[in-house]
Amino acid sequence: ERSAVRRLPFGRLADGDVAFFERLMPGRVLTRQEEVMPFNVDWLKSLRGSSQLVLKPQTTAEVSQVLRYCHEKNLAVNPQGGNTGLVGGSVPVFDEIILSTALMNQVISFDKVSGILVCQAGCVLERLNEYLDEQGFIMPLDLGAKGSCHIGGNVATNAGGLRLLRYGSLRGTVLGLEVVLADGSALDCLTSLRKDNTGYDLKQLFIGSEGTLGVITAVSILCPQKPKAVNVAFLGCQSFAKVLETFTTCRAMLGEILSAYEFMDEKCMELVERHLKLSSPVADSPFYVLIETSGSNATHDEEKLNNFLEQAMASGLVADGTVATDDKKIKAKVLGLCGFLRSPIPQVLWSLRERITEALTHEGYVYKYDISLPVAKLYDLVTDMRARLGQSAKNVVGYGHLGDGNLHLNITADSYSRSLLDAIEPFVYEWTARCGGSISAEHGLGFKKKQFIQYSKPREAVALMQQFKAMLDPRGILNPYKTLPSAA
């Protein structure tokens, strides 16, 4: 793919440049090939850059000095968080300097009254969740990559994940940002106010901009209180129509305690069982649904969940299921329905859904698509793609955040094939555009999807984005070759 992109006329790294960075941050400049290599390869191991330098600043002032220098010398920079992205947005395309936020991992403040957390961009999502847990709070987002991903990267890509149904997107929960612009100037919009109606909301420019407009160095984010009662139900459905009807019933009966509604097809389950040795607690089904409830009253939640499960079983929507709870006091009667079994802990059930991406990597090469669609049409794309590809693909699977209308369509083959890619693209994007969907629900565009932006955005919108880019980064040094389409 890189062969189709020409290196832009950025400066080349010289010995004097490395010496400057070593004086600025001694011991935090990586130049040896074996040190730099892991930063050059994306999580899927499908893309590899050729950067010769990784910088690991600890402060906003250091990021500012790095970018000021790079701007003057016309050196391209690739900001990188946990490097867990799936569209090639976090690794260099050529020899861009990698600016890693790994050491910017300090919590700045937390207000237990308002629930507002202020922290540096390099804080790992799971570490933040552990910190908040001790205070009786949680992060408003949860991702399969939480053990590695950084909050700054989450914000830069507007990551969605498993809690969006309940807590909304980062565009609503992020209250403020500190960002360093391409010329090194620091923009301090790190407000900790729920309401601030003074002019343009500049932080929204940087949320989802994938490091192309500025480097996020700190985040102010609104965190919900930790729910006192969490239940997870894992259910088997005999058709996608029943998955949809179960969602409608679930939303009506569980109301405010519904925090996740995820689905996966039987092929996903087969791969998770085969490659990760996990076992399904539910008998073979064409589809599986994971429902999570989070509330403040265990008895109240138990009653609601009971009523929903009874309704779902009685009306034939659900054929089999199991329930897990982190509240030891919930009585076994929730679990007595039609042979429902108790799973050890909710996370055991969550792992069946969260680790699908990992299981797919064992299948060879994976073509990954992250799409928003009207919920009623969500699985039609999987069915149509299976029919279109036939035996040329090893697997075509569908899973995702059904409650958010977000399908993850994954196609596997023993190895990369140009002819298979041509059969998938642009068909998958044309199909999505016809339904009024989005070609990227949560992964972003990065390097892999940038040329397809026109399937989701009108020409005028793309032109305006390019004007923002030209204004904030006139030399184009920040994460080049990503997000916006290359000039013809």
Side-chain angles (χ1 to χ4, degrees), residues 143-222:
L143 310 171
K146 58 182 166 243
S148 313
C149 64
H150 296 181
I151 188 62
N154 297 152
V155 172
T157 56
N158 190 28
L162 304 163
R163 288 178 179 160
L164 193 138
L165 179 65
R166 177 68 173 273
Y167 301 118
S169 79
L170 287 169
R171 294 199 179 277
T173 53
V174 170
L175 303 177
L177 293 176
E178 181 183 66
V179 182
V180 178
L181 302 180
D183 64 359
S185 55
L187 179 67
D188 183 356
C189 289
L190 203 59
T191 178
S192 292
L193 301 170
R194 291 289 302 274
K195 301 173 90 170
D196 177 12
N197 204 8
T198 51
Y200 306 137
D201 189 1
L202 294 178
K203 69 175 181 289
Q204 296 296 349
L205 264 183
F206 302 99
I207 299 173
S209 66
E210 303 186 68
T212 61
L213 300 180
V215 177
I216 295 169
T217 52
V219 177
S220 170
I221 188 164
L222 181 66

Side-chain angles (χ1 to χ4, degrees), residues 255-274:
E256 78 289 346
I257 65 169
L258 178 63
S259 52
Y261 191 97
E262 302 285 311
F263 93 100
M264 56 196 277
D265 62 20
E266 60 184 338
K267 201 75 192 167
C268 291
M269 180 64 79
E270 185 188 308
L271 296 177
V272 166
E273 290 184 319
R274 186 194 316 156

Side-chain angles (χ1 to χ4, degrees), residues 171-320:
R171 294 199 179 277
T173 53
V174 170
L175 303 177
L177 293 176
E178 181 183 66
V179 182
V180 178
L181 302 180
D183 64 359
S185 55
L187 179 67
D188 183 356
C189 289
L190 203 59
T191 178
S192 292
L193 301 170
R194 291 289 302 274
K195 301 173 90 170
D196 177 12
N197 204 8
T198 51
Y200 306 137
D201 189 1
L202 294 178
K203 69 175 181 289
Q204 296 296 349
L205 264 183
F206 302 99
I207 299 173
S209 66
E210 303 186 68
T212 61
L213 300 180
V215 177
I216 295 169
T217 52
V219 177
S220 170
I221 188 164
L222 181 66
C223 302
Q225 282 193 300
K226 183 183 175 184
K228 291 188 173 69
V230 175
N231 301 296
V232 176
F234 196 82
L235 313 173
C237 293
Q238 292 303 305
S239 67
F240 191 70
K242 289 189 174 179
V243 170
L244 291 174
E245 206 178 329
T246 303
F247 176 55
T248 306
T249 308
C250 173
R251 204 166 39 173
M253 297 187 71
L254 297 180
E256 78 289 346
I257 65 169
L258 178 63
S259 52
Y261 191 97
E262 302 285 311
F263 93 100
M264 56 196 277
D265 62 20
E266 60 184 338
K267 201 75 192 167
C268 291
M269 180 64 79
E270 185 188 308
L271 296 177
V272 166
E273 290 184 319
R274 186 194 316 156
H275 295 302
L276 306 180
K277 306 300 181 233
L278 300 176
S279 57
S280 170
V282 173
D284 292 349
S285 290
F287 294 93
Y288 298 90
V289 167
L290 184 148
I291 295 165
E292 183 188 74
T293 66
S294 306
S296 58
N297 186 316
T299 308
H300 170 268
D301 294 3
E302 175 196 348
E303 185 182 348
K304 285 197 155 193
L305 188 58
N306 246 333
N307 292 340
F308 162 69
L309 293 173
E310 283 172 2
Q311 171 75 22
M313 296 297 288
S315 57
L317 294 178
V318 170
D320 191 11

Side-chain angles (χ1 to χ4, degrees), residues 373-392:
L373 290 167
V375 181
K377 295 183 176 172
L378 207 62
Y379 203 73
D380 292 350
L381 178 54
V382 184
T383 309
D384 286 2
M385 191 59 83
R386 275 191 190 134
R388 179 178 173 84
L389 299 181
Q391 297 302 305
S392 61

Side-chain angles (χ1 to χ4, degrees), residues 2 27 64 82 140 158 207 241 251 265 390 411 419 424 444:
R2 188 172 72 179
S64 191
N158 190 28
I207 299 173
R251 204 166 39 173
D265 62 20
I411 297 151
S419 61
I424 300 167

